[in-house]
């Protein structure tokens, strides 16, 4: 990400909510009643968020919640994790923390992504994965299902594995990057 220049978008292409969320009209938001956005979140064009998938039986909505200052890039797919139990296909909630950047064309089926997390482009985050705070997933990484990614680490590869520890300043760095990007993401009038 280049954090110096403004990023302009056609104002008509995005819906801006009262809480500062900017959602592309070209994104697919299925089951919006089951999706919670924390505010100041950007959902880019061609992103797909599947809030329409539910547990078996009526009234079992599965919630996808995103915190503040989340950046969901082009072509991302967020869908809740699922498993089959006694012939029933069940979906489970997905919780994404604050200051999370998910790169282009990444597929996420995680159970939980902590705060201050950066996930690169073209990644696959397997079902029921838990990514702790201040972690980074490198571009083109495949995280197998049920993996727990510890806090303050870099994971890379296919399958994704530990590469190195991240500095204590990771939280401040990721927070400043997501806030700067949000502030630079400006409507182009006309």
């Amino acid at each position: 990400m280049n954090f110096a220049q403004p990023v302009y978008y056609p104002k008509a292409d995005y819906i801006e909510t009262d809480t500062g969320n900017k959602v592309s009209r070209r994104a697919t938001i299925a089951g919006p009643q089951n999706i919670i956005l924390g505010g100041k979140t950007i959902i880019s064009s061609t992103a797909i968020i599947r809030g329409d998938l539910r547990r078996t039986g009526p009234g079992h909505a599965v919630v996808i919640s995103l915190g503040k200052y989340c950046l969901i890039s082009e072509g991302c797919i967020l869908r809740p994790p699922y498993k089959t139990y006694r012939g029933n296909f069940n979906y489970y909630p997905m919780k994404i923390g604050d200051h999370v950047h998910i790169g282009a064309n990444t597929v996420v089926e995680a159970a939980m992504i902590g705060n201050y997390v950066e996930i690169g482009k073209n990644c696959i985050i397997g079902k029921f994965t838990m990514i702790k705070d201040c972690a980074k997933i490198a571009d083109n990484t495949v995280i197998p299902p049920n993996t727990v990614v510890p806090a303050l680490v870099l994971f890379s590869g296919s399958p994704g594995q530990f590469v190195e520890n991240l500095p204590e300043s990771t939280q401040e760095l990721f927070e400043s990057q997501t806030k700067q990007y949000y502030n630079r993401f400006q409507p182009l009038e006309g």
Side-chain angles (χ1 to χ4, degrees):
M1 264 195 259
N2 175 357
F3 289 98
Q5 300 297 320
V7 176
Y8 292 108
Y9 63 91
K11 189 175 175 80
D13 289 359
Y14 278 77
I15 299 164
E16 186 163 353
T17 68
D18 293 345
T19 54
N21 298 308
K22 296 178 181 183
V23 181
S24 171
R25 294 181 187 278
R26 292 183 49 222
T28 301
I29 310 295
Q33 69 278 10
N34 301 326
I35 299 169
I36 298 166
L37 302 179
K40 295 190 161 87
T41 284
I42 299 171
I43 299 175
S44 301
S45 67
T46 67
I48 299 171
I49 301 181
R50 297 294 307 269
D52 60 329
L53 305 172
R54 49 195 318 115
R55 292 180 186 232
T56 48
H60 287 91
V62 170
V63 175
I64 296 178
S65 66
L66 287 83
K68 300 185 304 273
Y69 290 102
C70 289
L71 309 174
I72 310 302
S73 300
E74 296 80 13
C76 281
I77 300 173
L78 304 182
R79 62 179 171 238
Y82 64 87
K83 63 180 159 191
T84 307
Y85 178 71
R86 293 189 177 168
N88 288 327
F89 199 70
N90 281 310
Y91 288 94
Y92 294 83
M94 174 189 290
K95 181 172 181 0
I96 298 175
D98 299 337
H99 301 282
V100 174
H101 174 233
I102 301 175
N105 303 311
T106 287
V107 177
V108 178
E109 292 184 288
M112 193 270 307
I113 297 174
N115 300 309
Y116 316 105
V117 172
E118 185 178 318
I119 299 173
K121 59 183 187 273
N122 304 315
C123 293
I124 297 174
I125 309 299
K127 293 186 299 233
F128 296 103
T129 293
M130 296 182 75
I131 301 175
K132 305 285 184 156
D133 294 350
C134 303
K136 182 173 182 173
I137 310 297
D139 291 351
N140 308 308
T141 297
V142 176
I143 302 289
N146 305 305
T147 300
V148 176
V149 176
L152 288 165
V153 300
L154 169 63
F155 263 51
S156 182
S158 179
Q161 43 198 326
F162 173 83
V163 174
E164 65 183 4
N165 288 309
L166 297 176
E168 291 291 329
S169 60
T170 298
Q171 175 176 332
E172 292 79 17
L173 177 69
F174 287 176
E175 180 174 348
S176 116
Q177 285 179 348
T178 55
K179 282 183 174 176
Q180 283 176 28
Y181 187 85
Y182 180 85
N183 292 331
R184 288 177 35 245
F185 196 73
Q186 296 297 322
L188 190 61
E189 301 298 331

